[in-house]
Amino acid sequence: MINSPTHAGSAEVTPIDPTARGPLLLLVGMALGWLVISGTFALIASIQLHTPQFLADCSWFTFGRTDAMRESTFIYGWAGNAGLAISLWILGRLGGNPLRATNWVTVGTLFWNLGLTAGLVGIATGDMTSFSMLQLPAYVQPLMLFAYATIAISGVLAWGGRRSDGTFAAQWYAVAALFVFPWLFSAAQAVLLWMPVRGTVQAIAAGWFMQGLWTLWLAPLALAGSYYIVPKTSGRVLPSYDFASLGFWTLLFVGAWTGGRHLVGGPVPAWVPTVGVVACSLMIFHYSIVFLNLRVVTASVGNAAQFIRLGLIAYLLVGLLDMITSFRFVAEQMQFTFLASALQQLGLYGAISMIFFGCIYFMMPRIAGVPWASVAMMSAHRMAVIIGILLLVGGLAAAGMMQAGDLLNPSANLGDILARIRLPLLVVTFAHIILIGANLLLFVNFLKTAASRADGDVRVRNLFRQPSAIEASAT
Amino acid sequence: MSTPSQPDPRIDLSVVSDQRLLADHEKLLGKQPDDRGRYKLMPLALLFFFSGLIFFGGTYLGRYSGNFHPQIFNETVHPPKAGAVVAAAPVDPIVMGRAVYSQVCASCHQPTGLGLAPVFPPLAGSEWVTGSEDRAIRIVLHGLQGPIQVKGVEYTGVMPAAGPGSGFNLSPERIAAVLTFIRQEWGNSAPPVSAARVSEIRAQDGTRGAWTAAELGP
Amino acid sequence: MKNGPLFFLGLLAAVAISWAGIVLGSHAQLGELPPYFDQAEGQIYPRRPGGIASRGQLVYADLGCAACHTQQVRRPDFGSDKARGWGDRQSVARDYIHQWRPQLGASRVGPDLANVGARLAKTETGAAGLHQLLYQGSSTHPSYSFLYEEEALVGERSAAALNLSGANAPVPGYQIVPTERAQTLVAYLLSLKTTYDFPESVPVAAPTKTEETKK
């Protein structure tokens, strides 16, 4: 029996973990590595904003290409690998069976990351597609799609073959992210790359994909991790849990319609951005339900819970700001400025990445079978990442505010604007240096942990106290 | 190995096992019988909130979506009746007439409107241009051959037809435009010609060969 | 939530319905937008750019210029676009029908480029100025010197050679010549004009009630 109450440690480490050890460690390792690489590109790009001649002679690192590489490695390298690891792990554990098709996961991971690497070389040599968040060259995208599908199979099988009839919110979000992404990805590729639609319809489709990436893929991955770890670390039953499904379906059905919101005032029919604005407002319902469910994270203890707490605060803030900034009288000023970047970084780094960090910290001892190698690195990473994100978002927001005010003033010369926002942009560069350092610490910590893992079961049994002994009763 | 009282900071302990997690939450989803119904109602507050959002969204959509019209790019335009928005700005006949003249007529009657004796009569100061508009329309529609007296000088040449169905195939709008143009250019001053009148004359005359000066009269 | 195909159908529906509504819906409306025939001038607009300018758009896209430049003008009462001289009217969908991949952009670190061809046509040094900016860069614009070649001066100076002085001037006996990529890029930039007033870009006000009863 898996959960024999007398066997303390095995109550927490199921047979799922050892079998999935290899592929999951590979995914997490790749994710953390790409995060550092993405940070390097981000640093170069941020330097080029205030010092345009930095690396300007090298065609591989011209600003447009560097920014595309930063974005692609962050989303497909870091968020993709980490999200896949987290969702597979959660589906496995809640499914109650060892993960199946793990060889496919390994193969898929290798091809996913090989494709990404080839794509990066492609971007650097001039094959970027110029669609935001879909910058990988057209020739690697089918490979990425195929690789993702082979990895996702394992998760869908874990859902289908689960032991209990009912399912938990974390499972819905995880399997949604796994299942929906290939459709989203292929639909975007079809109308943008293989059979391009005409003129500004491309911009509309690209906007649909970009928002879909957030609401149909990244947000579900983050919420899967949150919905799992919050009750596990707080011991509480999630309040208002009966409405969790409403929040889930709202995210999926309404979120996908927010695509037009960045095209306010653009060369598209007025209904496209209007529908996007309305959808952003309706999404407040989803964020409210997430708040209602996950507010007990305040009762959670532990390092992972801290990350999730901060990540969820950022997530809710992003939802609110998304709605506010989508309205035209705000968008008129905020459009095309660094404020939009600040909001995007708040979402990608502040919300998604922080939640992923929490999940990784929670997950690693269980799959590796050993505790994290260094406490000092853990706390250094935590502090540095929080400071880094605050400086990053704050710096971009400050630059954006000044830029917004000046752009509206027709006599303000663009060159002068850039000179005026030089200081916040320097802060952003500094933030990226801190973040690279922080993520390097995490990566090194991970490598040491993975290297030190013994043959799992014996050591880890002693690590975990029997949960049933301290299970709090439902509130 | 860590003692129970001192949690190991390198591990995040779970307070709840997976089984317990699933079971507890599944219980919540179990249908709890109401007095009448069989399901738990959404709290009123949430329902009102959602309805409020839908109401707001619907109003916003109604006001700012431009009736989902593909050619409305400015959302503040009050949704017009169908067709009103894409009505093209009216074409200036002088501008169109000038273009037609330079493409079709100037090769013979010259860009200066002075013509070329003894074959092409001038248009500047010509009584045939500033006179009866019906006569001028007929000349352009079906052409003119044989001798013609213009400003006391006789010209003998052939003017090809330029109306619909001819080699130049000018529409009534373009004929009206070019006539309006020449009737106000080079010192001429005569009222403009309307496309409707051109179409009337064309319907009256039907298909015919070129006119002669005698047929057209003064 | 129970399992079963219904759940996955729901997931698929979420993607499919939004894709159909937003992408297919706008494709149905704008996918076959024809150019506009101007009666007065007897020409269609937008004018199709020449082959060299079309190739320049590929260069623009692969260098990622859209990371700092937009190519969409907002309407006069929405922001300061008109006041800055970036365009007299809002960009509409018809402006982009001949573009392989419209580079609308999302960030204005640099100026909007939708009408840069029209702006530069009014100056005397359009192409030369652009080449100089791209080769040297400035305090606010990176240099793209890899788009230019230093060639030995053999015989006559090339007509395309850049006129540079001071620190940037080439070594005597050499000239800086734009590569084909630079030439196509500049040709593309000079072709960017959205000055023609399509009927939908300057909407005619809806007829008032009195006008309607007259009809």
Side-chain angles (χ1 to χ4, degrees):
Chain A
M1 268 271 291
I2 306 169
N3 249 12
S4 142
T6 55
H7 217 161
S10 63
E12 187 47 19
V13 177
T14 63
I16 294 145
D17 298 321
T19 55
R21 182 164 292 159
L24 290 181
L25 283 179
L26 183 64
L27 276 168
V28 176
M30 292 276 185
L32 294 176
W34 283 119
L35 183 59
V36 177
I37 295 177
S38 162
T40 323
F41 288 132
L43 179 63
I44 297 176
S46 72
I47 294 178
Q48 289 176 328
L49 278 176
H50 53 73
T51 316
Q53 308 309 335
F54 181 66
L55 286 184
D57 293 331
C58 181
S59 69
W60 278 39
F61 289 104
T62 176
F63 178 74
R65 294 181 186 172
T66 311
D67 205 46
M69 292 195 281
R70 166 197 66 82
E71 187 184 79
S72 303
T73 44
F74 190 92
I75 297 203
Y76 297 97
W78 155 239
N81 282 302
L84 282 167
I86 292 167
S87 51
L88 287 179
W89 183 71
I90 289 177
L91 284 170
R93 292 193 61 130
L94 289 177
N97 289 316
L99 280 177
R100 289 152 60 190
T102 50
N103 287 332
W104 284 94
V105 175
T106 312
V107 168
T109 308
L110 289 172
F111 274 111
W112 173 267
N113 291 291
L114 268 172
L116 181 58
T117 314
L120 284 187
V121 174
I123 293 178
T125 52
D127 290 331
M128 54 191 259
T129 62
S130 68
F131 295 118
S132 193
M133 306 214 180
L134 196 67
Q135 298 274 19
L136 291 174
Y139 45 78
V140 304
Q141 294 210 17
L143 174 64
M144 306 287 285
L145 181 64
F146 181 69
Y148 188 91
T150 53
I151 303 175
I153 285 176
S154 182
V156 178
L157 287 176
W159 159 281
R162 63 187 184 278
R163 281 176 183 242
S164 60
D165 222 12
T167 48
F168 180 59
Q171 286 168 291
W172 314 331
Y173 280 109
V175 86
L178 290 179
F179 182 74
V180 162
F181 181 77
W183 297 104
L184 179 72
F185 205 31
S186 52
Q189 287 178 32
V191 293
L192 290 174
L193 301 175
W194 309 127
M195 295 171 291
V197 285
R198 178 180 238 193
T200 47
V201 187
Q202 287 187 19
I204 298 173
W208 172 81
F209 174 76
M210 194 167 95
Q211 286 293 120
L213 203 67
W214 167 257
T215 56
L216 299 178
W217 190 49
L218 292 176
L221 288 174
L223 288 172
S226 314
Y227 267 94
Y228 182 62
I229 294 182
V230 166
K232 292 253 313 169
T233 50
S234 67
R236 310 274 186 85
V237 169
L238 298 178
S240 310
Y241 179 70
D242 22 2
F243 311 122
S245 60
L246 278 178
F248 173 72
W249 290 113
T250 309
L251 176 65
L252 289 180
F253 274 95
V254 176
W257 287 86
T258 53
R261 61 149 298 197
H262 286 291
L263 292 167
V264 167
V268 293
W271 67 264
V272 174
T274 298
V275 165
V277 171
V278 169
C280 281
S281 301
L282 289 179
M283 282 288 285
I284 294 292
F285 189 66
H286 158 79
Y287 290 105
S288 311
I289 294 191
V290 166
F291 169 70
L292 284 176
N293 285 157
L294 296 180
R295 65 188 197 256
V296 289
V297 72
T298 45
S300 299
V301 289
N303 182 48
Q306 249 181 307
F307 275 99
I308 304 237
R309 203 163 21 235
L310 292 170
L312 282 174
I313 293 176
Y315 182 69
L316 297 175
L317 198 58
V318 165
L320 184 65
L321 288 174
D322 248 353
M323 177 185 85
I324 295 176
T325 58
S326 67
F327 289 121
R328 286 175 161 100
F329 59 90
V330 180
E332 179 181 350
Q333 313 185 35
M334 251 192 61
Q335 250 184 346
F336 311 138
T337 65
F338 287 112
L339 280 171
S341 317
L343 189 56
Q344 193 189 72
Q345 290 299 313
L346 180 62
L348 288 177
Y349 236 123
I352 304 292
S353 298
M354 288 292 277
I355 294 178
F356 281 1
F357 288 143
C359 295
I360 289 177
Y361 275 119
F362 190 84
M363 209 167 81
M364 261 301 284
R366 290 161 175 78
I367 50 177
V370 291
W372 280 94
S374 161
V375 179
M377 282 200 217
M378 279 168 66
S379 28
H381 168 251
R382 184 177 66 241
M383 266 191 325
V385 113
I386 292 173
I387 295 177
I389 292 176
L390 283 173
L391 285 177
L392 173 64
V393 175
L396 285 173
M401 297 267 223
M402 287 155 68
Q403 202 186 11
D406 283 341
L407 270 180
L408 279 183
N409 172 14
S411 52
N413 181 297
L414 278 170
D416 294 337
I417 297 180
L418 269 181
R420 255 198 288 275
I421 60 175
R422 200 182 151 80
L423 182 58
L425 290 178
L426 284 169
V427 170
V428 169
T429 303
F430 183 55
H432 279 301
I433 295 177
I434 296 182
L435 286 170
I436 293 180
N439 295 324
L440 256 179
L441 282 175
L442 177 58
F443 188 44
V444 168
N445 204 0
F446 165 83
L447 289 174
K448 286 172 79 164
T449 313
S452 74
R453 60 191 172 90
D455 52 342
D457 286 325
V458 175
R459 272 192 69 177
V460 76
R461 246 175 250 151
N462 300 324
L463 289 176
F464 294 100
R465 287 182 286 159
Q466 188 181 354
S468 49
I470 45 174
E471 251 161 19
S473 46
T475 37
Chain B
M1 182 165 164
S2 52
T3 57
S5 55
Q6 185 87 17
D8 188 342
R10 296 170 300 168
I11 313 163
D12 292 278
L13 287 173
S14 313
V15 184
V16 163
S17 71
D18 291 339
Q19 260 63 21
R20 185 70 192 271
L21 178 75
L22 285 172
D24 283 348
H25 288 93
E26 204 46 39
K27 237 186 346 208
L28 278 184
L29 289 185
K31 315 279 188 237
Q32 286 156 30
D34 227 355
D35 269 357
R36 299 274 174 89
R38 301 264 170 117
Y39 41 86
K40 191 171 178 187
L41 294 172
M42 205 193 300
L44 221 51
L46 220 56
L47 192 62
F48 268 124
F49 182 49
F50 191 54
S51 313
L53 284 174
I54 298 267
F55 175 71
F56 168 75
T59 319
Y60 192 91
L61 211 55
R63 173 65 187 89
Y64 289 118
S65 62
N67 270 358
F68 293 88
H69 195 287
Q71 301 293 354
I72 294 187
F73 295 87
N74 177 354
E75 74 284 351
T76 57
V77 169
H78 278 274
K81 309 290 182 296
V85 119
V86 291
V91 180
D92 184 356
I94 307 290
V95 175
M96 192 198 291
R98 190 189 303 271
V100 173
Y101 184 82
S102 61
Q103 286 163 19
V104 175
C105 324
S107 51
C108 296
H109 289 289
Q110 305 310 308
T112 51
L114 292 175
L116 212 55
V119 191
F120 307 126
L123 301 177
S126 161
E127 63 276 21
W128 291 81
V129 171
T130 53
S132 147
E133 73 168 14
D134 291 355
R135 190 173 58 170
I137 289 175
R138 293 198 150 98
I139 294 178
V140 176
L141 271 177
H142 302 115
L144 187 100
Q145 63 187 29
I148 179 175
Q149 280 265 352
V150 181
K151 296 204 294 194
V153 183
E154 192 171 275
Y155 295 82
T156 310
V158 177
M159 168 154 160
S166 73
F168 291 111
N169 199 27
L170 293 178
S171 65
E173 286 79 21
R174 296 178 93 84
I175 293 177
V178 73
L179 284 172
T180 305
F181 168 69
I182 63 177
R183 280 155 76 88
Q184 54 86 59
E185 191 78 356
W186 311 299
N188 290 345
S189 181
V193 175
S194 73
R197 187 75 191 129
V198 175
S199 303
E200 267 173 35
I201 305 247
R202 179 169 163 239
Q204 264 175 34
D205 293 347
T207 325
R208 55 153 292 137
W211 297 95
T212 60
E215 280 178 307
L216 285 173
Chain C
M1 182 143 355
K2 292 304 174 245
N3 58 346
L6 201 58
F7 179 68
F8 287 98
L9 214 58
L11 294 181
L12 189 56
V15 187
I17 293 177
S18 68
W19 183 77
I22 296 183
V23 179
L24 289 186
S26 43
H27 177 67
Q29 290 189 332
L30 300 175
E32 275 154 41
L33 204 56
Y36 177 74
F37 179 70
D38 185 316
Q39 290 288 345
E41 302 185 39
Q43 270 187 0
I44 60 162
Y45 285 95
R47 309 290 299 148
R48 206 178 249 285
I52 293 184
S54 301
R55 294 220 308 279
Q57 197 195 6
L58 299 178
V59 178
Y60 186 98
D62 90 48
L63 287 176
C65 307
C68 290
H69 291 282
T70 56
Q71 278 186 26
Q72 43 174 313
V73 181
R74 300 183 294 181
R75 65 174 191 270
D77 56 354
F78 195 79
S80 65
D81 295 31
K82 177 169 179 175
R84 283 178 177 277
W86 286 342
D88 283 330
R89 60 153 177 90
Q90 179 180 20
S91 299
V92 294
R94 235 192 276 259
D95 289 319
Y96 302 90
I97 54 176
H98 291 313
Q99 296 192 11
W100 151 78
R101 193 168 280 175
Q103 300 285 317
L104 290 183
S107 170
R108 281 183 177 166
V109 181
D112 182 273
L113 297 179
N115 274 306
V116 67
R119 285 202 293 280
L120 287 174
K122 296 191 200 133
T123 66
E124 283 172 358
T125 58
L130 274 178
H131 279 301
Q132 191 158 18
L133 177 66
L134 287 172
Y135 177 68
Q136 289 177 236
S138 72
S139 60
T140 53
H141 194 278
S143 76
Y144 288 88
S145 50
F146 52 84
L147 291 176
Y148 296 85
E149 285 172 340
E150 198 172 18
E151 271 184 2
L153 254 178
V154 179
E156 236 178 50
R157 195 161 176 270
S158 161
L162 268 54
N163 288 322
L164 301 164
S165 55
N168 293 297
V171 177
Y174 283 84
Q175 54 181 355
I176 306 288
V177 173
T179 58
E180 196 222 346
R181 275 161 64 81
Q183 287 179 332
T184 56
L185 178 61
V186 168
Y188 168 69
L189 291 171
L190 290 175
S191 78
L192 289 174
K193 303 178 189 15
T194 57
T195 45
Y196 181 76
D197 283 336
F198 295 109
E200 66 265 22
S201 64
V202 279
V204 175
T208 60
K209 230 149 171 172
T210 45
E211 285 174 35
E212 279 190 359
T213 49
K214 260 195 235 164
K215 290 188 194 156

